[in-house]
Amino acid sequence: MKLLKTNPATTKAWSKLTSHFKDTQHTHLKELFESDPNRAAEFTIRWNDFIVDFSKNRISKKTLDLLLELAEEIGLQKAMEAYFKGGEINETEGRSVLHTALRAKKEDVITVEGTNVIPEVFAVKEHIKTFTEAIISGKKKGHTGKPFTTVVNIGIGGSDLGPAMVVDALAFYKNHLKTYFVSNIDGDHVNEILKELDPETTLFVVVSKTFTTQETLSNATTIKEWFLQHARQEDIASHFAAVSTNTEKIAEFGIASENVFPMWDWVGGRFSLWSAVGLTIALAVGYDHFDGLLKGAHQMDEHFKTADFDQNIPVVLALISIWYNNFHGAETEALIPYTQYLSRFPAYLQQGIMESNGKSVDQNGNRVSYETGTIIWGEPGTNSQHAFFQLIHQGTKLIPADFIGFKESLHGNVDHHHKLMANFFAQTEALMNGKTAAQVKKELGDVSMGQSQIDILLPFKVFEGNKPTNTLLIDKLTPQSLGSLIALYEHKIFVQGIVWNIFSYDQWGVELGKQLAKTILGDIQNSEIGNHDSSTLSLLQFFKG
Ligand code: F6P
């Protein structure tokens, strides 16, 4: 199950796309709609409770066909088989990439080094179920006999962002347990949270795939010391749980074996919320909702695996994004969820997308000659409209955007939801159509503005439009639909990595800073400062006083 490792820029489809871009780059989205009355229907995929309308993109049927040709030529289908079957596609770390196995069915067989991993996955799921039910019901109690009221997740990166994002996203489904997330090495983070905690009723979940991460171990140690000011050493057994592949290190930390949840090296940190890394999710919303999340992700896995590429949501969205990134020269993509519940979704995907596809060396070890990973950013609508939308509408940069909205609200306040969704639809329409000089003149004339004043204001009030968007309209924010949504973006990451011929599942780029921080910590803590460039040296001297 080897990947083809083709340089996309050498494919026939790439050359065709290059000339197609030259021919079509000035076509306005409005023209595309005017020339095809069926465009919306032709460029919409309906799947389960999702409607994905990608018609407001600078693409024609031909663009899509050429992009699909690129996917074929690159060998996407074969790569997908390797991905789902546990091929070692994370070659630089010698690992399979099997977050999809975490949400597979009990009867599925997925092997890693000759062993079917599904029974292990289900054993851990069962442990998550019994543990979380005992905490939520109050059967498992704190060291003074009181039921737990609070859970603190201690982790960073994939061991924080996923659970934190989902707990926020599913806040509507939350039980009585209060949740906190400590991630930053900055002592302010842990100290502010400690102020809120009662050592008799707080459960700490230490999450670290490696159990060597400086931030997590420092925060966990600070918390343990604080806890021991109020409790005995043996009480750690009832107040601390841990999730890691490194069970030895967990034991050294003193966590009781019945509170240890294993994970596997074939699960990447940024794709791990489906494993026991999601323990805080299961604690916050209950095991059934956690399982619903997994089921939704599995449904998206099946869709991705089986749908024809032209009807395949992750494939189509990935290819459209490549069209902008590699042909239109767009550098960033915005992600605008029209629900406050998804406020951490862009931050979560920043790790998912940028840690995965922020690579400049291809799978053959050569520097790429084309652009790879897009920069992701975003905030919930409508707040973002009042913040950075000016630049999307009238700035000089092309910023394709995904708009994610829900047909039905959870709160049931129809007035609020109608207003929210009116903005949701209005923005994509405005971004596409813009406003012509004639429209502006008419508007200003209607308010009786004089001609000379109109002439002065005119250029500032014109909107070019032609700004591309995808609209993802989902019935309702449920654990299941959220699971499908997250999995959609996971697969989009995979497709883009395969087309760009890069390794999406390693993250060597974050190592150098970690290494240097260790050296500099020595410089700070010891009397002597080692060798550094003159800037770093003088900053360190200033810091040390
Ligand atoms: O930032 C790099 C990274 O390795 C991420 O990929 C990972 O999610 C994070 O650190 C945390 O790592 P760990 O779970 O091992 O503590």
Side-chain angles (χ1 to χ4, degrees):
M1 279 187 285
K2 284 276 168 202
L3 303 172
L4 280 186
K5 303 188 177 180
T6 307
N7 175 347
T10 62
T11 60
K12 286 189 197 126
W14 194 275
S15 315
K16 290 188 211 168
L17 280 160
T18 306
S19 16
H20 177 62
F21 170 71
K22 283 188 191 130
D23 297 343
T24 60
Q25 59 180 311
H26 301 300
T27 311
H28 198 289
L29 271 169
K30 279 195 289 191
E31 295 168 49
L32 294 172
F33 271 87
E34 277 155 19
S35 63
D36 180 3
N38 280 331
R39 184 174 170 86
E42 280 164 15
F43 292 105
T44 293
I45 300 174
R46 286 168 183 266
W47 171 80
N48 274 10
D49 48 352
F50 279 55
I51 289 184
V52 179
D53 178 347
F54 54 97
S55 63
K56 293 189 183 84
N57 278 295
R58 297 195 197 170
I59 56 166
S60 62
K61 178 85 179 51
K62 182 168 175 196
T63 322
L64 200 57
D65 286 346
L66 291 176
L67 288 166
L68 291 165
E69 214 176 294
L70 174 66
E72 295 290 339
E73 232 178 308
I74 285 295
L76 178 60
Q77 190 69 55
K78 278 251 160 331
M80 281 167 71
E81 278 161 34
Y83 173 51
F84 280 104
K85 285 190 179 151
E88 249 181 42
I89 62 168
N90 177 1
E91 285 186 26
T92 63
E93 295 182 327
R95 291 175 186 166
S96 309
V97 176
L98 273 178
H99 43 278
T100 50
L102 300 168
R103 56 240 190 177
K105 291 218 171 94
K106 210 169 187 168
E107 58 274 20
D108 288 342
V109 176
I110 301 173
T111 51
V112 175
E113 289 165 8
T115 307
N116 179 14
V117 298
I118 299 300
E120 265 181 90
V121 167
F122 273 81
V124 175
K125 278 170 78 171
E126 190 51 36
H127 189 191
I128 297 174
K129 185 171 166 20
T130 50
F131 180 83
T132 55
E133 282 174 358
I135 298 285
I136 297 165
S137 66
K139 201 170 126 203
K140 240 183 197 298
K141 295 184 172 48
H143 67 283
T144 56
K146 292 185 182 170
F148 287 100
T149 58
T150 309
V151 177
V152 178
N153 189 94
I154 309 162
I156 195 163
S159 300
D160 165 73
L161 285 163
M165 179 276 285
V166 173
V167 167
D168 260 13
L170 298 182
F172 180 80
Y173 301 89
K174 251 181 116 193
N175 54 34
H176 63 284
L177 292 173
K178 258 195 188 165
T179 45
Y180 293 96
F181 289 84
V182 182
S183 54
N184 203 326
I185 189 72
D186 178 357
D188 290 343
H189 198 184
V190 62
N191 281 324
E192 283 304 318
I193 289 173
L194 282 178
K195 287 183 195 166
E196 305 295 319
L197 305 181
D198 178 348
E200 291 181 65
T201 57
T202 304
L203 175 76
F204 299 99
V205 182
V206 189
V207 187
S208 176
K209 182 176 166 183
T210 55
F211 227 76
T212 57
T213 305
Q214 187 196 49
E215 290 87 343
T216 304
L217 294 191
S218 303
N219 281 324
T221 304
T222 301
I223 285 174
K224 187 164 96 172
E225 282 164 7
W226 169 86
F227 178 75
L228 288 175
Q229 287 166 17
H230 307 273
R232 298 157 307 166
Q233 184 73 31
E234 59 264 37
D235 297 329
I236 288 179
S238 47
H239 281 260
F240 283 76
V243 183
S244 183
T245 53
N246 195 341
T247 37
E248 269 169 37
K249 285 259 177 207
I250 299 181
E252 273 171 36
F253 191 85
I255 294 175
S257 56
E258 68 269 22
N259 296 349
V260 173
F261 294 80
M263 60 183 291
W264 308 274
D265 68 4
W266 40 263
V267 181
R270 52 194 175 273
F271 303 99
S272 63
L273 68 87
W274 323 98
S275 70
V277 169
L279 191 66
T280 303
I281 303 173
L283 284 162
V285 297
Y287 184 81
D288 287 348
H289 287 319
F290 178 64
D291 202 39
L293 186 80
L294 267 54
K295 287 207 168 85
H298 178 72
Q299 286 170 351
M300 181 53 78
D301 296 343
E302 288 300 304
H303 165 75
F304 179 50
K305 241 197 256 185
T306 57
D308 289 343
F309 283 174
D310 65 345
Q311 290 301 308
N312 193 313
I313 304 170
V315 172
V316 168
L317 295 191
L319 293 175
I320 292 175
S321 162
I322 288 170
W323 175 236
Y324 293 123
N325 188 61
N326 295 95
F327 298 93
H328 280 270
E331 298 222 310
T332 79
E333 274 172 29
L335 199 76
I336 319 291
Y338 274 68
T339 165
Q340 198 58 31
Y341 288 127
L342 287 183
S343 59
R344 301 292 313 274
F345 196 51
Y348 165 74
L349 281 180
Q350 278 175 334
Q351 187 200 16
I353 294 173
M354 301 205 273
E355 198 166 88
S356 300
N357 286 338
K359 312 283 164 67
S360 50
V361 172
D362 73 12
Q363 295 187 356
N364 301 307
N366 303 318
R367 197 174 199 301
V368 295
S369 58
Y370 44 86
E371 291 293 322
T372 62
T374 43
I375 299 163
I376 291 294
W377 54 290
E379 279 286 321
T382 57
N383 292 10
S384 51
Q385 292 173 207
H386 293 273
F388 54 74
F389 265 49
Q390 165 64 37
L391 184 142
I392 304 186
H393 279 289
Q394 286 190 313
T396 52
K397 295 184 171 55
L398 176 67
I399 300 165
D402 284 359
F403 279 64
I404 302 169
F406 296 87
K407 211 171 148 188
E408 204 182 312
S409 75
L410 293 173
H411 51 71
N413 183 326
V414 174
D415 179 52
H416 269 278
H417 196 57
H418 283 178
K419 286 174 182 160
L420 172 78
M421 294 309 282
N423 277 281
F424 176 78
F425 297 117
Q427 285 297 329
T428 57
E429 194 176 33
L431 285 164
M432 173 171 85
N433 290 327
K435 196 189 270 184
T436 61
Q439 284 172 306
V440 176
K441 275 185 198 161
K442 180 165 180 329
E443 259 180 35
L444 297 181
D446 285 350
V447 292
S448 317
M449 190 176 279
Q451 192 54 47
S452 57
Q453 193 60 17
I454 291 179
D455 290 343
I456 292 169
L457 275 181
L458 190 65
F460 304 102
K461 290 193 151 257
V462 167
F463 289 59
E464 284 170 10
N466 208 19
K467 313 288 188 214
T469 56
N470 292 306
T471 299
L472 280 73
L473 186 56
I474 304 165
D475 280 356
K476 196 171 160 179
L477 179 56
T478 62
Q480 207 141 333
S481 64
L482 179 66
S484 300
L485 183 68
I486 301 168
L488 185 173
Y489 282 96
E490 286 181 345
H491 299 320
K492 179 180 168 189
I493 291 168
F494 167 80
V495 174
Q496 294 195 304
I498 293 299
V499 173
W500 288 326
N501 191 29
I502 52 175
F503 288 122
S504 301
Y505 298 98
D506 58 21
Q507 55 287 314
W508 302 110
V510 291
E511 293 305 320
L512 179 60
K514 285 190 200 172
Q515 240 172 28
L516 293 190
K518 265 192 202 149
T519 312
I520 292 186
L521 185 60
D523 293 333
I524 292 173
Q525 289 174 339
N526 303 328
S527 51
E528 292 286 297
I529 300 179
N531 260 348
H532 292 282
D533 61 88
S534 60
S535 161
T536 310
L537 187 66
S538 69
L539 288 167
L540 281 171
Q541 283 163 343
F542 177 74
F543 179 73
K544 289 181 79 170

